Every structure is written in C-alpha cells, then in structure tokens.
Amino acid sequence: MKGLAAGIGVVFLCPILIAGTGMMLASSADAVQSSGSFSSCLSDIDSDKVAEQVTKILDGASGKDVDVEGLDLPAEQVPNAQTIVAAGLSLDVPKKGQIIALATAMQESRLRNLAYGDRDSLGLFQQRPSQGWGSAEQIRDPTYASEQFYKHLLKVSGWQQMTVTQAAQAVQKSGLPDAYAQWEKLATALQGAIAKSFPGGGDADGKDTDQDKQSATTGCAPGQDGSRFGRIPEGSVPKGYSIPKDADPKARKAITWAMQQLGTLYQWGGSCTNSHGPDPMGRCDCSSLMQQAYAHAGITLTRTTYTQVNEGKAISLAHLKPGDLIFSRGTAARPEHVGMYMGEGLVIEAPRTTKPVRITPIKDWTILAARRVL
C-alpha cells in the first residue's frame, strides 16, 4: 500500500503542476473558490449521488462532464482526495482518520494543492515549512503532505473519541477551530466512494463507531437555511421575516440599521456613513456595512474583512445567533467577504460592485468562519 500511495501522488501531482501553473498564481479569492459554490448547510447532501459522480471521475470521466455536490473543480479535487485516502490506507489509518484528513483539506485548501497561503502555508493542508512540516517542495507533494498529517493525527491522544473538528484542530491548531465541522458529511461521502476503488479499501474499519454515526455539525437545522422564503428580490425584506424575539438587543439594533441600507449600491472602499446620499464613497462595502451597523448598536469593529474575522470569538455554525458575522470567499485565515446572520436562515450583505445591499439565504453561502462580536 505504501507504494500505491506514493504512485498515486506522482500520477496526480504532475498534471496539477503542469496544467495548473497559471492557476497557482491567481489570487486566493479566485483560486480557492467563489462564494456560493455550494452551501455550507450540508445536512441534506446526497451521499449516494456524490459517490456515483466521484466513481465516474475515478473511472476516467472528464471532470468537466461531472458535477459533484460540494466540489467546484472535481477534476482536480477528486484526485487529491484519492491521494489522501490512499495515504491513509497505506498507513493503516482507520476510516474516521481519513474523514478527518479530507475535512481538514477541504477547509484549508478546498482540496487544492496551493502554492500560497497565510504566511508560508502551502499545499493541501496549508502546512508551514517554518513550523517543521517539511520543505516547501515536500509539502507541495500531496502524498508527503497527507502522510505528515496522519502522523501528527496518530500522535494525538484519544483522537478517535474526538469529533472531526476537535481532532482536526488538535493537528492544525487553527485560529478558526470550529470551521472543520461543516465538511464532515462531504468528507464521509468522498472517503466511502474512494476507499471502494482500492483492493480491500471498502472493508477497512467497516464497523462504524458511535462517533462515525454522528451527523456533521452543519448549523443548518431543517427549515433554517432560508429556503422557505423562496426567491428574495434584491434589496427587499422577504415576506414573513421578523428579527427573532430572542435576539440580543444590540444585535437587533445592528440588524435593524443594516436593513435600512437595503437597496443601496455597493461601493468598494465606501464608508457606509451615508449610503442613500449622492457621494458614492458614502455607500457600503461588505465590511463597512458590518462596522457601521454595529457602531449604531454601540459596538466598535475594525474596518476590513481581514481584521473582522479576528473580532469577538469564533463560534460553531451549529450555534449561529442573529447578529453573528459569517465569512466566505478566499481562505479561512484571509476571507474576502462578510455578512451578518439575521436568524431564520437569512444573511444581510453588501455583495459586490453593481449589486445592492441585500438579504440572501444562508444556503447560498460557503462559510469559512463565524464570529460573535457581542
């Protein structure tokens, strides 16, 4: 199996290096994923459908002709996932460990072998040469990176009794410790489909533990993903929505003020101090909308998305409350977009140039992080 893992790493690494040179030079916002590429509410993911589509790619189908729920670039992501599973099998890592590795790589790189990251972070798991993970060249080898992740995981006492996000955090020591949970069900579907492609792989660790049977923490209770409101016209409040009665009073003030900016056009770098006025620079961008909304509730926030992701405290997506900030696009360490959760599965945001401040369902968000600033 050791040779199997190494061979797969070589086979799939070379096309990425050759064909992906231009891709690797792109900005993180473009190269990792775009907002809305899939919902962070993964409780309703069709595991059988994912397995079916993944199997097609493993059998040689073009990624351009296959749509895998949760993956925006399956032609690149599935081979990387296969390398991670192969490395786990070669090291006799149980099924749960492989799921943890896949969920970690989904959060850190979206299963992309990145040539950049926060500070000197690189590769599938965003490992850092300066932190002893290996040389830059080694970390960019998916097989080496996967093996290093597993070796660190296996040294964590009691990892098999931990949740996926707890075990991943024990290895990664991320500033966003709850972010891994959202990928558990997709990682489980990928592991199941890929392991079956290896001799005996589908039988390994065949009896699920109680932890294996636990559902992923998605933060999206039935009926709470915003879908019940149907299509929401831009700049309007969906019919039937009201701020939840149990919302924190300061969150209520922030949401109310943000809703008063609905319909005003986005302006990059705008202060959001006079969004209805004639000066475009008085309009809102995503982070100034958050800053000014909370300023009117007596809470001071910093100005940019890059700094707001460090405000307050990190929270699990399973425990979102009205007023919480959610982040998407880019990477977990350096997100490119922020919105405010309103309750009822809705988010208010200033999306991008030419678009107005609007309310969107949370199912349309790929959430990288969530923060509570109250």
Side-chain angles (χ1 to χ4, degrees):
M1 289 302 288
K2 180 75 174 180
L4 172 66
I8 290 175
V10 172
V11 169
F12 289 112
L13 175 62
C14 293
I16 294 172
L17 290 174
I18 295 171
T21 303
M23 167 204 73
M24 291 173 181
L25 297 177
S27 69
S28 60
D30 293 329
V32 180
Q33 96 285 350
S34 59
S35 177
S37 59
F38 88 107
S39 170
S40 64
C41 302
L42 293 174
S43 57
D44 58 349
I45 190 171
D46 188 338
S47 298
D48 291 337
K49 186 66 173 179
V50 168
E52 176 185 342
Q53 299 302 308
V54 167
T55 300
K56 288 182 180 179
I57 292 179
L58 296 177
D59 289 341
S62 170
K64 295 180 180 180
D65 303 323
V66 178
D67 180 25
V68 182
E69 184 180 6
L71 302 181
D72 50 3
L73 292 169
E76 179 181 354
Q77 292 163 309
V78 170
N80 284 331
Q82 187 179 37
T83 298
I84 291 171
V85 173
L89 292 173
S90 72
L91 295 173
D92 293 324
V93 176
K95 171 185 174 181
K96 183 173 181 179
Q98 297 169 36
I99 292 171
I100 292 167
L102 288 167
T104 301
M106 283 297 302
Q107 173 59 26
E108 298 292 349
S109 70
R110 297 299 184 273
L111 283 172
R112 305 284 295 280
N113 189 22
L114 301 179
Y116 57 85
D118 180 47
R119 289 170 283 190
D120 59 338
S121 300
L122 297 167
L124 291 174
F125 298 91
Q126 291 290 279
Q127 295 157 339
R128 299 177 59 191
S130 64
Q131 299 299 309
W133 286 92
S135 68
E137 181 179 3
Q138 287 174 318
I139 291 171
R140 291 292 319 292
D141 178 341
T143 298
Y144 173 90
S146 300
E147 290 175 347
Q148 286 300 304
F149 178 87
Y150 286 127
K151 288 175 181 178
H152 282 73
L153 174 65
L154 295 175
K155 291 179 182 179
V156 175
S157 178
W159 70 267
Q160 287 178 285
Q161 284 70 52
M162 295 178 179
T163 64
V164 166
T165 195
Q166 288 170 337
Q169 172 63 5
V171 175
Q172 298 295 105
K173 298 178 174 61
S174 169
L176 303 166
D178 294 314
Y180 303 102
Q182 62 185 313
W183 306 107
E184 183 177 349
K185 193 156 189 180
L186 176 58
T188 301
L190 289 173
Q191 191 280 337
I194 293 170
K196 292 177 182 177
S197 69
F198 295 124
D203 299 327
D205 199 30
K207 293 184 178 180
D208 290 342
T209 64
D210 289 340
Q211 288 80 16
D212 289 331
K213 294 177 182 178
Q214 291 175 350
S215 61
T217 303
T218 65
C220 302
Q224 293 296 307
D225 63 358
S227 59
R228 72 181 183 89
F229 292 101
R231 181 181 175 277
I232 305 172
E234 288 191 334
S236 69
V237 179
K239 184 177 181 180
Y241 170 78
S242 61
I243 301 174
K245 294 181 179 179
D246 60 351
D248 184 284
K250 290 184 178 180
R252 180 179 295 275
K253 287 183 179 180
I255 293 170
T256 298
W257 189 89
M259 290 171 64
Q260 292 170 357
Q261 318 315 310
L262 284 169
T264 62
L265 285 177
Y266 174 99
Q267 175 61 52
W268 185 85
S271 65
C272 202
T273 54
N274 187 13
S275 64
H276 296 276
D279 183 0
M281 296 311 295
R283 298 173 188 164
C284 310
D285 64 15
C286 65
S287 55
S288 66
L289 178 63
M290 304 299 105
Q291 182 188 48
Q292 291 302 315
Y294 265 110
H296 284 77
I299 302 293
T300 299
L301 299 183
T302 51
R303 173 64 182 84
T304 70
T305 305
Y306 304 139
T307 54
Q308 288 177 0
V309 75
N310 297 313
E311 300 273 7
K313 63 180 181 180
I315 57 168
S316 166
L317 302 183
H319 300 104
L320 283 177
K321 293 182 178 181
D324 289 340
L325 304 185
I326 61 173
F327 299 82
S328 68
R329 305 177 195 164
T331 66
R334 193 173 173 80
E336 302 287 344
H337 188 54
V338 61
M340 184 184 297
Y341 184 61
M342 303 171 62
E344 302 295 326
L346 299 175
V347 183
I348 189 166
E349 62 170 342
R352 60 182 182 275
T353 302
T354 75
K355 291 291 185 178
V357 174
R358 65 186 184 184
I359 294 172
T360 53
I362 199 171
K363 69 181 182 63
D364 290 345
W365 282 66
T366 298
I367 302 176
L368 299 171
R371 308 290 293 192
R372 183 161 297 149
V373 299
L374 295 172

